[in-house]
Amino acid sequence: DTGVSQNPRHKITKRGQNVTFRCDPISEHNRLYWYRQTLGQGPEFLTYFQNEAQLEKSRLLSDRFSAERPKGSFSTLEIQRTEQGDSAMYLCASSSDGVSTDTQYFGPGTRLTVL
Amino acid sequence: QQPVQSPQAVILREGEDAVINCSSSKALYSVHWYRQKHGEAPVFLMILLKGGEQKGHEKISASFNEKKQQSSLYLTASQLSYSGTYFCGTEISSGDYKLSFGAGTTVTVRA
C-alpha cells in the first residue's frame, strides 16, 4: 500500500513564471486536500476535492492558484505568475470516508522557492 | 481561526514526560494530532472526537475537553524518536473535513 506521492519534491522558479505540482493520493481515497506550510507554521488549508469535485477553496487562495482533479484520481495545483510570497512547502493529503471523520494522510510535499 | 498550541517548544531527557495543549476559540467537532520531523511529511498520530474520549498510541495519549475547547497530548516516558514538531488540527463541525492547524510545538528529546 503506497502512500501519498508528490512531484516534484523541489521546484525553484523565477518570479512571474507558472508552476504546476502533482499529487497522487492513496489508491481509492476519495478526498484530496492541498495545504501550504511556511517555516515555523502549521499547514494552512487551500482547497479540497471529493472525487473530481472541488468542494471548498480557502478565501486566502488568490485567483493565481488553480487546482484540478480530473477523473477523481491525481490532482494538480497550478500557480500562475508566481510571487516571492508563494515560496512555501505545498502539501497534499488524502482520505477516505470515515465513520465520524476522516484521517488525512500527508505526502512528502513540494518545496517551492520563488527567486 | 487556527488553534493555539502551547508550549512553543519543550526539551526533555529520555524518560521524561510532557504535555502539549491545543486550544480553540470555537467549539470543536474533532482534534487531529500529527508529528512532523524536519523535512518530512506530517505523520498521523490520533483523532479525538467530540465526546471527551481519551486515546493512546504507544506511550502517547491525548484527551479532548469539549467544554474548554481544548485537547492535550501526553508524551509519557519519552524516547529519542519522539523528537519532532507536534501539530493539532481542528475540525469545527461534522463533515467539515478541512483542518485548521496550530503553529506547532517542537519537542526535543535528549539522551
Side-chain angles (χ1 to χ4, degrees):
Chain A
D1 181 27
T2 57
V4 178
S5 62
Q6 293 186 244
N7 287 289
R9 295 292 308 277
H10 302 274
K11 179 70 178 179
I12 300 174
T13 191
K14 292 183 179 179
R15 190 176 54 185
Q17 298 294 305
N18 298 345
V19 293
T20 300
F21 310 142
R22 176 177 170 130
C23 170
D24 286 90
I26 293 172
S27 178
E28 297 178 0
H29 274 193
N30 61 334
R31 293 196 186 92
L32 186 148
Y33 309 78
W34 285 99
Y35 291 85
R36 175 171 62 192
Q37 186 176 27
T38 53
L39 199 62
Q41 297 298 314
E44 175 189 30
F45 171 78
L46 294 179
T47 188
Y48 95 92
F49 293 83
Q50 181 157 312
N51 300 312
E52 65 274 7
Q54 187 173 18
L55 295 189
E56 190 164 347
K57 284 176 64 171
S58 167
R59 285 172 293 172
L60 301 174
L61 204 61
S62 126
D63 291 344
R64 297 183 297 104
F65 287 71
S66 63
E68 294 183 340
R69 193 183 182 197
K71 301 179 185 178
S73 55
F74 71 91
S75 175
T76 57
L77 178 68
E78 181 183 17
I79 309 174
Q80 296 182 324
R81 304 181 303 282
T82 53
E83 302 172 357
Q84 288 186 326
D86 297 332
S87 295
M89 175 74 85
Y90 289 83
L91 294 166
C92 175
S94 70
S95 70
S96 60
D97 286 325
V99 175
S100 303
T101 186
D102 290 1
T103 298
Q104 295 182 28
Y105 296 94
F106 283 85
T110 295
R111 181 168 296 284
L112 173 66
T113 303
V114 181
L115 301 175
Chain B
Q1 190 170 359
Q2 65 181 97
V4 176
Q5 287 186 235
S6 63
Q8 286 188 321
V10 60
I11 299 175
L12 303 168
R13 290 205 177 275
E14 265 188 303
E16 291 183 338
D17 303 340
V19 179
I20 299 169
N21 296 308
C22 173
S23 297
S24 173
S25 59
K26 295 184 177 181
L28 298 175
Y29 173 70
S30 69
V31 181
H32 304 226
W33 285 97
Y34 289 83
R35 177 173 61 211
Q36 185 176 33
K37 293 184 184 279
H38 185 68
E40 299 180 8
V43 173
F44 171 74
L45 294 176
M46 65 192 78
I47 291 175
L48 296 103
L49 293 171
K50 187 174 175 180
E53 62 182 301
Q54 185 152 348
K55 286 198 148 186
H57 175 74
E58 298 178 343
K59 292 182 180 176
I60 299 175
S61 61
S63 62
F64 180 18
N65 187 321
E66 288 172 60
K67 289 183 181 178
K68 292 185 178 179
Q69 295 162 192
Q70 176 177 308
S71 177
S72 296
L73 187 74
Y74 306 94
L75 306 181
T76 305
S78 58
Q79 306 168 15
L80 294 176
S81 62
Y82 287 3
S83 292
T85 301
Y86 290 77
F87 293 100
C88 66
T90 56
E91 188 181 14
I92 301 300
S93 59
S94 175
D96 197 7
Y97 300 120
K98 67 179 185 291
L99 299 178
S100 295
F101 284 91
T105 296
T106 300
V107 173
T108 304
V109 181
R110 295 180 174 164

